[in-house]
Amino acid sequence: MKELPHMYFIEKAKAVIRKQGVDPVSNLIRGGTDGATLSGRGLLCPNLGTGTFNHHGVTEFANIRQMNRCVELIKDLLTIQ
């Protein structure tokens, strides 16, 4: 199988997620997201999550605990070499 370009970004994110005591899960998402559009134009935008759920529906909600974990993930990603 051919190695995909820039997978080291994904591997770093997975390493940070594991460091936080969580098993990372990778899922393909359908197109149409801002990140998918930007990635298609050459700016890599992996979707790391936001702590929100059930988007664009009547049961959409944000979980502050999950949002705080996302902040910690981003902070850790910024410091990893």
Side-chain angles (χ1 to χ4, degrees), residues 38-49:
L38 291 171
S39 290
R41 294 180 181 180
L43 179 62
L44 299 175
C45 299
N47 185 343
L48 299 174

Side-chain angles (χ1 to χ4, degrees), residues 18-32:
R18 284 186 197 99
K19 180 181 160 195
Q20 292 182 349
V22 178
D23 290 327
V25 176
S26 295
N27 292 315
L28 296 175
I29 59 171
R30 64 182 179 85

Side-chain angles (χ1 to χ4, degrees), residues 56-81:
H56 309 301
V58 297
T59 60
E60 181 174 358
F61 69 97
N63 180 307
I64 193 69
R65 186 174 296 134
Q66 292 292 328
M67 293 177 91
N68 285 334
R69 290 185 83 174
C70 292
V71 169
E72 293 305 314
L73 169 67
I74 298 301
K75 287 171 34 180
D76 285 348
L77 278 172
L78 291 172
T79 61
I80 196 169
Q81 296 295 323

